[in-house]
Amino acid sequence: MRLRMHLFIAVLIAFLGLGTQAARAQQVALKTNLLYDATTTPNLGLEIGVGKKHTLQAFYGLNPWKFNHGADRKFLKHWIVNPEYRYWFCHRFNGSFVGIHAFGGEYNAANVKLPFGYWKELRDHRFEGWFAGGGIAYGYQWILSKHWNFEGSVGLGAAYIDYQKFQCGECGKKLEDGHKLYFGPTKLALSLMYMF
């Protein structure tokens, strides 16, 4: 599990290093997805201009928390890395863009009710494993001031989810190994950005 985490971090650092080399005197933005923050998942993103209409972005999110609700302990612990290439229709960091994104990470979850009835077994079992996927995105960015922007974006795509299923929340024997394929929304962001 740690080997995969270190591999993703190494890829993220390489991605950001290449973007920084290409950007030189280009604009850079530090950002956070407020919707992700609302799920108690601290996250940080960096977006780098690499041309008049091109940017590279990378996000990292980490949720290490557990919550007690009566006798049940709920958790959706995970980490995720999310790089994205963006093409802007006007100028970078202003107006509409389309993007191609990838993502990957690891998770450990139990007693969780996901939206739209997805993966109902999470309510009564614990799952842990890794995931990877990608998709396309559309978004829009508004300039608020010289240093502040606000962005909204959505994405659709697919993910491969590898898992181990356990009998109960934090204890119990392993019941099975398996995987799921997911198709649908892969991104939803309302991001506040500081521009350098």
Side-chain angles (χ1 to χ4, degrees), residues 115-177:
F116 312 113
Y118 183 73
W119 210 347
K120 293 179 182 178
E121 293 177 290
L122 269 175
R123 296 176 193 169
D124 303 314
H125 297 88
R126 183 173 69 85
F127 287 83
E128 67 176 67
W130 60 273
F131 58 92
I136 57 171
Y138 171 79
Y140 195 91
Q141 212 169 100
W142 294 269
I143 297 172
L144 301 178
S145 69
K146 181 179 178 182
H147 291 288
W148 292 97
N149 280 14
F150 186 77
E151 171 189 304
S153 62
V154 296
L156 294 172
Y160 176 88
I161 304 167
D162 190 79
Y163 67 81
Q164 295 179 342
K165 179 180 177 181
F166 294 87
Q167 194 167 14
C168 63
E170 290 188 85
C171 58
K173 65 177 183 174
K174 182 164 73 167
L175 300 174
E176 68 178 272
D177 290 314

Side-chain angles (χ1 to χ4, degrees), residues 67 80 82 108 124 141 153 193:
F67 299 95
I80 186 171
N82 180 221
N108 186 0
D124 303 314
Q141 212 169 100
S153 62
M193 308 169 57

Side-chain angles (χ1 to χ4, degrees), residues 80-93:
I80 186 171
V81 173
N82 180 221
E84 182 173 272
Y85 160 78
R86 292 176 167 184
Y87 173 81
W88 297 78
F89 292 108
C90 188
H91 296 285
R92 65 176 188 256
F93 300 112

Side-chain angles (χ1 to χ4, degrees), residues 68-123:
N68 290 323
H69 293 279
D72 293 330
R73 181 171 256 191
K74 298 183 178 201
F75 54 93
L76 183 56
K77 295 166 52 169
H78 67 279
W79 65 266
I80 186 171
V81 173
N82 180 221
E84 182 173 272
Y85 160 78
R86 292 176 167 184
Y87 173 81
W88 297 78
F89 292 108
C90 188
H91 296 285
R92 65 176 188 256
F93 300 112
N94 184 18
S96 296
F97 64 85
V98 291
I100 298 171
H101 62 271
F103 54 88
E106 293 178 298
Y107 66 93
N108 186 0
N111 297 321
V112 177
K113 184 178 178 182
L114 293 177
F116 312 113
Y118 183 73
W119 210 347
K120 293 179 182 178
E121 293 177 290
L122 269 175
R123 296 176 193 169

